[in-house]
Amino acid sequence: MRKSLPLLVTLGVAALTGPVVIGTGAAAATAPTPRVLQRSVDVAAATAARTGATRTTDSARYLPSSVECTAGPASGAGVNLKLDCDSVLPNNEPDVNVDPANPRHLVASSNDYDSNGDEFYTSVNGGRTWTTGDMSLESSARIGSDPVTTFDVRHHTVIHTSLNFLITEQGEAKDGDLVVSLSTDGGISWGKPVVVADGVGQDSSPLNIFNDKQWMVTDNNPRSPYYGRTYLTWTAFFARNGNYTKSPIFSAHSDDGGRSWTTPQEISGASSACTLQVSGPRGRCDENQFSVPTIGRDGTLYVAFENGNVGRIQERGETAGGADDAYLVVKSTNGGRTFGAPVMAAGLEDGRRDYPTNVSGRQTLTGFQLRVNSAGNIVANPKTGQLAIVFSDNRAGLHDVARPTTNTNVYMVTSYDGVHWTGATPVATGAGDQWFPWVDANPVTGQFGVLYNNQRGTGTYDVRLATGRPGTFREDRVSTANSLANDSAFFQAGAPGCEKCTVFNGDYIRVAYGSDGKANMVWTDMRRTVRLGDTTGHGEFIVFARQ
C-alpha cells in the first residue's frame, strides 16, 4: 500500500467563513466557497530522529491544556456516548487507554479540528462521565494530530504523544515534531509538551524530515526488568528536494514518566528479503509505516510495522512505492537498547492495483471516497503470552487489475516468540468491507477482541467487536446506529455523484481492555447531522462504548 503521508489541517473558527486546508495525498481536489474548502496537499514529507542530548521542556515556548466541558452521563452498559461536547467541528483518529491500577480510570484522545490540536477525554467512573479539553500544542502556529495516550503506574503519570507540525503559506507541511505531554492528576490537566524528535523542514533546506504515525506503550509489569519504561516508535519520512527517499521506523524510551527521552534510533533494520527500493541500498527495510509496540510478559519489546521492501511477495506490475506490504516484526530483549533483524509475519494484498483511488489519489473502498489503509496493530496477550497482529486487505476482492473492487476482510496472525508466525486466519468477513481493525487481549479470559468498521451499504458503516481466538471469533455490533460517510459536512470529495462523500474520517479506531475484563471502545461516528454555514451533512464525532 502506498505510504500514508500526514493529514495536514488548518481548521478553526475561520473555517466557518473561510478555507480549510487539508492534505490527504497526492492529487488536489477543491470544493467552491462558501462550502468548507478541501485541498489535498502534495507533501513529500519525512521524519527522523534528532541527534544530540535528551531534550526537556522550554517553558517559554509551549501552551498549557484547558478543560472545556463534560460529556455524559451514560445511562448504562453498552450505551453509545458522544464524547465531543465542544463544537460541531470534526474529531477523528480516537485512542483510549485504561489505568492498569484502576479499570474505571480511562483516558481517550482524538484529533480536534476545533483547536487544531488534540482533544482529551478523561473518566474516573468507567466511562459514565468524561472531562474533556484541549491539549498538546507546541505553539498556536502548529497543528497537532495522531494522538496516543498511555499510563505509567510506576511514575504516577499519564503520557500523551502527538505529532506537531507547521503549515506553509502554500499549504504544505513542514517541521513535523513528535511531542509528549504529561499529566500528574490522572488526565485532567496536562503539562507543556516535551519534544522527543525534531522535524526538519526549513524553506531553504533540500532535506525534509517529517515524524508521523507514532505509537506508545508502557511496561507496567512490576516483575519486568524494565518496569516503568515507556517506549515510543514512529515513522521517519525523509524527502530530498521534494522527493520521497525512505521511511524507516525509529524508537526512543523514557524511564522517568515521560519527562526525558533517549536519543532516537532507527530500528527497522535490514534483511535479505528487502530487495525492492525506491532509493538507497538493497537490503534495507526502510519503506515503512504504522509501527506499534507491545510488551511481552518477560519484558521483551516487540514492534510491528508495514513494509514495502519485500520483493518476493510482489506480483507482476508492482514496483517500489506502490507494492504490496508485508507486516514485519522486530524485537528487543534488552529494553529497547538493540533490536534483532526484522521477521516477516504476513504478506498483504494492498498494493497500488489492489484498491480503487479517491479524488485525492488515495486508496479507498468501492462505493466510498474515504481514504483507507490496511494496517492494524500488534498486542501481547498478558494471560497466555501469545502475540497477535491484525490487518485488513483485499485478497478476497478483485485485485491486481486496473479497476479493483474491494471486499476487504480482517485477518489475524499469531506467534509465541515473534519469529515464527501462523498463516492468516479470518477474523471478520462479510458481504461488504471491513477495515480499521484494532486488537487487544482480555486479561481475564485470555481471549482477543478486535474492533473494526463494517460496511452496511454504499457509503455506510457500523462498528463491530469480534471476540475469541483464531478460528472461533464471535461478532457483536457495538454501534447502535449506522454512520453515513457519503453524506458528510466535512472533507467533501466533490466528485460527480459523490459530492458530499468524505475523503477522511481518520486512520484508526481503538479498543482497550481493563483489568476487570471490560472492553472500552472508541471510534469516529457519523450518525449525527450537523450544519456548518450553508452546508448540512453528517459530522465526525468520537463515540465511546463499554461492554
Side-chain angles (χ1 to χ4, degrees):
M1 180 169 279
R2 206 172 162 185
K3 298 301 172 287
S4 177
L5 301 182
L7 173 72
L8 317 176
V9 180
T10 54
L11 175 55
V13 175
L16 297 175
T17 56
V20 179
V21 181
I22 297 173
T24 54
T30 61
T33 319
R35 288 181 180 272
V36 178
L37 177 68
Q38 291 92 44
R39 187 175 67 181
S40 293
V41 182
D42 186 7
V43 181
T47 287
R50 63 178 178 84
T51 57
T54 299
R55 186 177 180 122
T56 55
T57 303
D58 173 0
S59 61
R61 181 181 176 193
Y62 303 113
L63 300 178
S65 65
S66 60
V67 173
E68 291 182 294
C69 49
T70 300
S75 57
V79 169
N80 289 190
L81 177 64
K82 182 171 77 73
L83 299 187
D84 298 307
C85 51
D86 52 353
S87 78
V88 300
L89 295 178
N91 288 75
N92 50 44
E93 291 191 350
D95 174 56
V96 66
N97 216 319
V98 189
D99 187 343
N102 177 6
R104 295 181 62 79
H105 181 196
L106 315 171
V107 175
S109 55
S110 71
N111 293 338
D112 178 39
Y113 296 77
D114 184 55
S115 67
N116 277 345
D118 295 350
E119 187 83 0
F120 70 86
Y121 317 86
T122 299
S123 176
V124 295
N125 53 20
R128 187 172 182 271
T129 59
W130 299 76
T131 299
T132 80
D134 299 327
M135 64 179 300
S136 198
L137 275 180
E138 291 183 69
S139 76
S140 58
R142 287 187 174 265
I143 306 296
S145 69
D146 296 5
V148 181
T149 306
T150 186
F151 287 85
D152 184 338
V153 174
R154 183 175 186 178
H155 298 102
H156 308 290
T157 59
V158 189
I159 309 171
H160 178 85
T161 180
S162 177
L163 166 64
N164 267 227
F165 55 90
L166 296 172
I167 296 288
T168 68
E169 291 182 359
Q170 293 74 34
E172 297 182 351
K174 69 175 185 177
D175 192 21
D177 295 342
L178 287 187
V179 304
V180 295
S181 303
L182 307 183
S183 175
T184 58
D185 62 3
I188 302 300
S189 61
W190 299 83
K192 299 167 184 178
V194 174
V195 177
V196 178
D198 283 335
V200 174
Q202 301 305 313
D203 294 336
S204 59
S205 173
L207 174 66
N208 284 274
I209 302 172
F210 200 101
N211 299 296
D212 191 31
K213 284 291 180 286
Q214 76 284 1
W215 210 268
M216 184 170 53
V217 68
T218 300
D219 191 339
N220 285 307
N221 180 2
R223 295 182 294 277
S224 168
Y226 308 106
Y227 175 50
R229 179 166 292 181
T230 296
Y231 302 94
L232 180 65
T233 68
W234 66 93
T235 309
F237 277 106
F238 285 75
R240 186 167 291 277
N241 297 318
N243 297 311
Y244 167 87
T245 58
K246 61 182 179 178
S247 49
I249 302 300
F250 276 72
S251 178
H253 61 261
S254 173
D255 287 322
D256 59 4
R259 294 174 176 84
S260 62
W261 295 78
T262 61
T263 299
Q265 61 170 324
E266 184 177 338
I267 67 171
S268 41
S271 168
S272 60
C274 290
T275 59
L276 199 63
Q277 300 288 341
V278 169
S279 65
R282 185 182 177 95
R284 297 300 302 177
C285 303
D286 61 0
E287 296 173 21
N288 309 305
Q289 182 61 304
F290 302 117
S291 68
V292 176
T294 192
I295 301 169
R297 293 183 296 182
D298 61 353
T300 297
L301 173 65
Y302 302 89
V303 183
F305 51 92
E306 289 195 345
N307 168 272
N309 296 113
V310 178
R312 69 173 183 266
I313 66 171
Q314 308 309 328
E315 291 135 336
R316 189 169 68 176
E318 292 177 340
T319 58
D324 284 334
D325 284 315
Y327 246 110
L328 302 186
V329 178
V330 294
K331 74 175 183 178
S332 174
T333 58
N334 56 15
R337 185 171 61 86
T338 60
F339 288 80
V343 173
M344 185 170 129
L348 281 60
E349 197 67 63
D350 68 343
R352 191 186 299 272
R353 287 164 50 85
D354 297 325
Y355 284 70
T357 54
N358 66 10
V359 295
S360 302
R362 304 301 293 263
Q363 287 173 311
T364 189
L365 303 170
T366 300
F368 290 85
Q369 283 284 325
L370 57 84
R371 86 179 193 191
V372 297
N373 62 74
S374 55
N377 69 303
I378 185 174
V379 70
N381 193 316
K383 191 174 182 69
T384 67
Q386 189 177 35
L387 299 165
I389 296 173
V390 292
F391 59 88
S392 65
D393 72 9
N394 196 36
R395 67 187 64 189
L398 179 63
H399 54 82
D400 295 300
V401 295
R403 296 179 180 274
T405 302
T406 56
N407 181 18
T408 58
N409 297 320
V410 176
Y411 300 94
M412 175 181 286
V413 295
T414 60
S415 173
Y416 281 96
D417 60 6
V419 176
H420 303 91
W421 291 86
T422 65
T425 301
V427 173
T429 61
D433 291 297
Q434 291 80 40
W435 70 99
F436 290 171
W438 197 272
V439 62
D440 200 17
N442 188 325
V444 176
T445 66
Q447 293 185 331
F448 292 108
V450 184
L451 191 72
Y452 54 91
N453 287 340
N454 175 73
Q455 185 178 357
R456 295 283 290 174
T458 300
T460 303
Y461 66 91
D462 64 7
V463 177
R464 307 212 171 182
L465 179 69
T467 55
R469 296 178 175 86
T472 59
F473 281 98
R474 186 194 73 232
E475 177 185 55
D476 293 305
R477 181 172 177 175
V478 175
S479 58
T480 55
N482 292 337
S483 288
L484 280 69
N486 283 6
D487 181 42
S488 178
F490 306 101
F491 316 122
Q492 294 170 352
C498 210
E499 287 81 3
K500 293 175 68 177
C501 298
T502 186
V503 297
F504 183 78
N505 67 350
D507 282 333
Y508 52 85
I509 60 178
R510 180 79 193 271
V511 58
Y513 283 94
S515 59
D516 57 358
K518 298 292 186 181
N520 302 277
M521 297 160 283
V522 287
W523 64 91
T524 304
D525 192 278
M526 299 185 68
R527 74 180 69 179
R528 293 171 174 84
T529 301
V530 300
R531 178 177 291 277
L532 186 64
D534 66 348
T535 297
T536 300
H538 287 78
E540 297 183 8
F541 298 106
I542 306 307
V543 167
F544 167 82
R546 175 178 168 93
Q547 64 182 44

